[in-house]
């Protein structure tokens, strides 16, 4: 089931890549990170090159003020990949920036999660980690108070319950 969601989600993310200005090479970088397409032995130079491409794509997406719908899909897909592959440095950076990104564009953020539900667990987990690493219990409670209705309205019963449960984890 998860594979079907991932393949379906990949088609949504890549199909909308023109809107997000994702090049063919950048799309390959995303897939390579998820499926280790170019891993061949212990070539440190190749590993460093893969990491630089990943980091450059991340910077490209997060340096602007607002993300288009397509860019948000790509960003949240990167969050998903980072979580699946346990990319610790990326996960920490994403935890730092994800709540501010959500606050700037909650409608776009939640719309992407509704459209591509396989991204939801990773995104909500990173938002929870934001408060673990960079906030406090009061910040988290205020965030929940301010955004619970929007999350519920946008995602519906089961999906919003899943996201809110992740956000309430200690």
């Amino acid at each position: 089931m998860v594979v079907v969601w991932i393949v379906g989600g990949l088609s949504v993310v890549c199909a909308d890549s023109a809107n997000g200005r994702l090049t063919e090479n950048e799309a390959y970088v995303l897939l390579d990170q998820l499926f280790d397409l170019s891993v061949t032995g212990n070539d440190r130079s190749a590993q460093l090159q893969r990491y630089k491409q990943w980091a450059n794509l991340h910077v490209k997406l997060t340096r602007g003020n607002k993300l288009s719908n397509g860019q948000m899909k790509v960003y949240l897909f990167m969050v998903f990949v980072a979580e699946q592959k346990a990319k610790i440095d990326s996960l920490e950076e994403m935890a730092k920036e994800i709540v501010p990104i959500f606050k700037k564009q909650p409608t776009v953020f939640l719309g992407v999660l509704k459209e591509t539900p396989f991204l939801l667990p990773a995104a909500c987990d990173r938002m929870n980690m934001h408060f673990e690493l960079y906030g406090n219990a009061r910040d988290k409670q205020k965030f929940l108070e301010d955004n619970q209705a929007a999350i519920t309205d946008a995602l519906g019963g089961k999906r919003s319950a899943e996201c809110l449960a992740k956000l309430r984890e200690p």
Side-chain angles (χ1 to χ4, degrees), residues 25 29 32-33 38 43-56:
N25 184 60
V29 167
D32 183 34
Q33 290 294 318
S38 67
D43 182 358
R44 297 279 186 216
S45 175
Q47 291 173 359
L48 181 59
Q49 182 62 25
R50 287 178 72 223
Y51 177 79
K52 284 180 180 179
Q53 291 173 327
W54 170 264
N56 288 341

Side-chain angles (χ1 to χ4, degrees), residues 103-165:
K103 286 180 177 180
K104 281 185 199 172
Q105 298 176 268
T107 304
V108 175
F109 191 103
L110 293 168
V112 168
L113 292 183
K114 182 177 182 177
E115 186 179 341
T116 51
F118 78 95
L119 301 175
L120 189 140
C124 295
D125 182 64
R126 283 302 91 200
M127 287 196 295
N128 184 50
M129 287 307 300
H130 171 86
F131 296 106
E132 287 286 317
L133 298 173
Y134 302 102
N136 59 46
R138 284 179 297 168
D139 294 339
K140 186 179 196 176
Q141 187 58 37
K142 173 117 174 71
F143 178 84
L144 285 167
E145 288 170 7
D146 292 347
N147 295 289
Q148 181 171 335
I151 291 169
T152 301
D153 291 346
L155 300 179
K158 183 180 176 187
R159 290 182 184 150
S160 66
E162 179 183 353
C163 185
L164 291 168

Side-chain angles (χ1 to χ4, degrees), residues 76-96:
L76 291 174
F77 185 73
M78 289 186 81
V79 171
F80 168 80
V81 171
E83 190 146 301
Q84 294 299 306
K85 300 306 270 189
K87 296 177 143 319
I88 301 303
D89 56 335
S90 294
L91 288 171
E92 186 175 337
E93 182 64 28
M94 290 169 175
K96 182 178 182 180

